[in-house]
Every structure is written in C-alpha cells, then in structure tokens.
Amino acid sequence: MISELDVIRRIRQQGTLFDANLLKGVGDDCAVFVTNAVETVSLITTDTLVEGVHFDLNWHPADRLGHKAIAVNLSDIAAMGGTPRFALLSLAAPSNLALETLDLFMQGFMAALAKYNVSLIGGDTVKSDQGLVLSITLIGEMDKQQVVYRSNAKPGDQIWVSGFLGQAAAGLEICRQGHSALQRNYPELVAAHLEPIPEMALGRALANSGLISAMIDMSDGLATDLAHVCEESAVGAIVHAERLPLLPSTQQAAKSLGLDPRQLALAGGEDYRLLFTAAATANKNIQEMAHHAVGGQLHMIGEIVEGQGVFLHSGEQKDRIDFQGYDHFSPGL
Ligand SMILES: [Mg+2]
C-alpha cells in the first residue's frame, strides 16, 4: 500500500529547476511567480491522461508515459507560439501502484521538464479506485503581440501541417494488437505513440515570423483539429487528399494492420504536429524560415475558403469530413 506522503515525498525528491521569477514552488497552497512585463502574456493549459482511456501500462513504459504526459501539454503552448515555464502535476493513483512505476514515471517526467526548461511548481495527489489518472497544468509565456490564435484564418490562406500524419495512430494500433514483428519493424511509429515530440521550436519560429494567421496542434486528428480552426475563424477548408503527408512506413504498417492510412492521417489523432494557415504570398518565406530556423518539414495540404465545413477533395470526389477525428466520448477507430 502506498501513502499520499510516499507519493508527495517521491515527487518532491525530484526537486525543481531554479527560476529567478519563481518566489514559491512546491510546498505552499499556491505557487507564486512574478509577472511584471506589460507586453508579456501568460499561457495556461491543462490536460488529463486516464489509464485505460489514454494509455495502457501493459505496453506503455512508465518513463515514456512521463515524457508523453508533459509533451501533450507542451504541444498546446507550441500551438500558440509560446515558451513553457512552469508545470503542476496532479496524480490520482490506485493504492496498489508499484512505487517503481511511480519512480520511473517521475524520471521520464522530470527529464522532459529539464529538456524544455520547465519547473515543476506544485500539484496534488489523491487516491484512485480505477487506475492512474495524470492531470498536468502547464504555464507558459510569450510576447502579447505574437500570440497565434485559432480564430484568424482567412479565405485564400493556405493550410500547412508540420511533419507527417498518422504515425501515432499506426503506432497505437501496433501496440494495441501486441504485434511484435510490427513493433520491431516500425519503432518510429511506436515512438510517435509512446513518446511524441512537441514542436516547440517550430511553433515559436512561426509565431515570431509574423507570417501565419492561425495555428493549432493536432491532438484529435486533422479532420477535427482543422474543423476547430474553421469554426473559430468562421471559414471553410479544402484539403487535397494527395497532399496528405504520409510516410511510406505508415502506409506499409497500415496495410499490415488492415487500416486505411488516409483515415489514420485524418482521424487518428495524437500526432502533435502543428497545423497553421498563412496567406499564399507567404508561401516561399514560410518554407525558407522552416528550413533555416528548425530544419522542419512543412507540407501545404489545402486552402481556406469562404463558407463552412472541411472538405476532402480526392480527384472528382468531395467529402465533408469536419469533426470526424477522435472523439473522447465515442468509441475509437
Ligand atoms: Mg491543442
């Protein structure tokens, strides 16, 4: 049986990074930090991961889960263009949770915080009767003038995504099916599910460039995340099926799993790549900036149009696909 004190002590043992603006971290009712710059805004985001819904400890190594738990929050800060600063970790743990699992989780969690220069400043621990629940709040900051919202996409803008899609969904399915040959053959797909890497540098570079109009990170799949941008911006969108960025490995793995790779890209979710829009005149500058600033690969997949709805064009065929991505309250793929 573990006690709350065990859990808190183990978390506090990990210490906290030094930050000159942090007056009080773990150990009081609230964390206290100085924000005095008029032109700087704070960004706050929170995400919860539930065992059995978002992760399965049977195949998810606890240290990689620790990394993922913070990565999914970092990705939200990246999607605004900001810099992450402070994290709060709330943990609901079953009393039979192995302390080794908790230690391993904290190892991965703290390593990820250190990598992105984020300080753990507090949180809460409670008992759970039904598996492990991880809730993380992340606080970031950025220049007020450079914040990129979802709500400013304009008709005529081009739609871009960073990196490749469908990898995490393919990786999840490989793990779920316990397919050891595919696990060996496609470690990059499995890693995309177990330990996604948020696009911090790219998000910041895009926001700094002033070239883009709207941005979101892709947590629920292109069909749903693009629909959020369209709804917030009161516009529609056309995505060209042949432009969907799918790696050959994703296509091959999908074939072995009996899945449609296009469906993985549109509805799979959890890729945590960035989706953004920009005027067509910025096309060349964006490609150059991405290439030089972060060495990232960007793909232009469609355009924003007047009206509403997200449409997938494939040759003559036009399908409406908005909100056909991952839905937290309906069965998965
Ligand atoms: Mg998000």
Side-chain angles (χ1 to χ4, degrees):
M1 284 287 193
I2 63 169
S3 71
E4 180 171 349
L5 212 54
D6 280 336
V7 176
I8 292 172
R9 277 193 185 134
R10 287 181 120 78
I11 292 173
R12 285 198 74 168
Q13 268 167 20
Q14 306 286 337
T16 179
L17 291 181
F18 174 76
D19 189 302
N21 287 335
L22 182 63
L23 302 185
K24 186 78 200 176
V26 181
D28 209 311
D29 291 305
C30 277
V32 182
F33 60 94
V34 177
T35 57
N36 47 13
V38 182
E39 289 307 311
T40 304
V41 289
S42 295
L43 307 169
I44 303 178
T45 181
T46 189
D47 248 301
T48 300
L49 299 178
V50 179
E51 186 176 0
V53 178
H54 300 98
F55 63 91
D56 188 329
L57 284 171
N58 290 317
W59 72 64
H60 212 136
D63 53 341
R64 301 184 87 176
L65 179 64
H67 182 284
K68 180 170 184 169
I70 194 70
V72 303
N73 283 278
L74 286 166
S75 183
D76 279 324
I77 300 278
M80 310 301 287
T83 301
R85 296 291 304 279
F86 303 113
L88 293 118
L89 167 64
S90 290
L91 201 142
S95 52
N96 64 355
L97 179 74
L99 284 177
E100 301 80 66
T101 303
L102 177 64
D103 287 345
L104 209 53
F105 170 82
M106 285 309 299
Q107 244 175 51
F109 186 78
M110 296 309 291
L113 290 189
K115 182 174 170 191
Y116 295 100
N117 215 18
V118 176
S119 304
L120 179 64
I121 59 170
D124 190 22
T125 54
V126 292
K127 185 182 163 212
S128 159
D129 285 335
Q130 301 223 327
L132 184 60
V133 179
L134 308 160
S135 184
I136 288 150
T137 300
L138 191 61
I139 300 166
E141 66 180 19
M142 70 182 296
D143 186 319
K144 192 178 175 181
Q145 305 301 327
Q146 293 187 341
V147 182
V148 185
Y149 298 95
R150 297 176 177 180
S151 54
N152 199 31
K154 300 273 190 296
D157 282 358
Q158 294 179 324
I159 303 165
W160 297 78
V161 297
S162 65
F164 293 88
L165 302 180
Q167 291 178 284
L172 167 62
E173 203 49 36
I174 289 170
C175 291
R176 189 145 61 186
Q177 292 190 15
H179 212 304
S180 52
L182 291 183
Q183 268 167 17
R184 269 196 311 279
N185 293 341
Y186 301 106
E188 73 281 13
L189 302 181
V190 173
H193 163 61
L194 295 180
E195 198 172 338
I197 297 170
E199 306 248 43
M200 306 316 293
L202 179 63
R204 257 196 308 276
L206 287 167
N208 288 343
S209 77
L211 293 169
I212 69 170
S213 50
M215 184 152 61
I216 189 169
D217 69 314
M218 284 187 283
S219 52
D220 296 336
L222 176 65
T224 290
D225 295 315
L226 178 53
H228 284 305
V229 170
C230 287
E231 209 167 72
E232 294 301 317
S233 297
V235 292
I238 293 168
V239 173
H240 301 286
E242 75 280 3
R243 285 178 167 267
L244 289 174
L246 282 160
L247 282 172
S249 58
T250 307
Q251 300 187 350
Q252 289 152 11
K255 201 173 162 205
S256 304
L257 293 161
L259 297 170
D260 175 3
R262 189 186 284 182
Q263 202 53 27
L264 293 180
L266 292 173
E270 287 208 313
D271 280 314
Y272 298 105
R273 303 303 90 199
L274 294 174
L275 182 153
F276 61 93
T277 59
T281 49
N283 183 299
K284 206 159 165 270
N285 288 340
I286 285 174
Q287 296 203 49
E288 276 171 15
M289 191 234 30
H291 186 71
H292 290 120
V294 286
Q297 215 155 359
L298 300 179
H299 303 97
M300 203 276 284
I301 58 162
E303 55 274 341
I304 297 293
V305 295
E306 283 185 33
Q308 52 179 319
V310 177
F311 293 87
L312 182 71
H313 286 194
S314 179
E316 290 299 295
Q317 199 174 332
K318 297 172 180 174
D319 296 307
R320 188 161 178 174
I321 57 163
D322 29 330
F323 294 110
Q324 287 179 14
Y326 180 79
D327 184 323
H328 298 270
F329 294 100
S330 66
L333 280 170

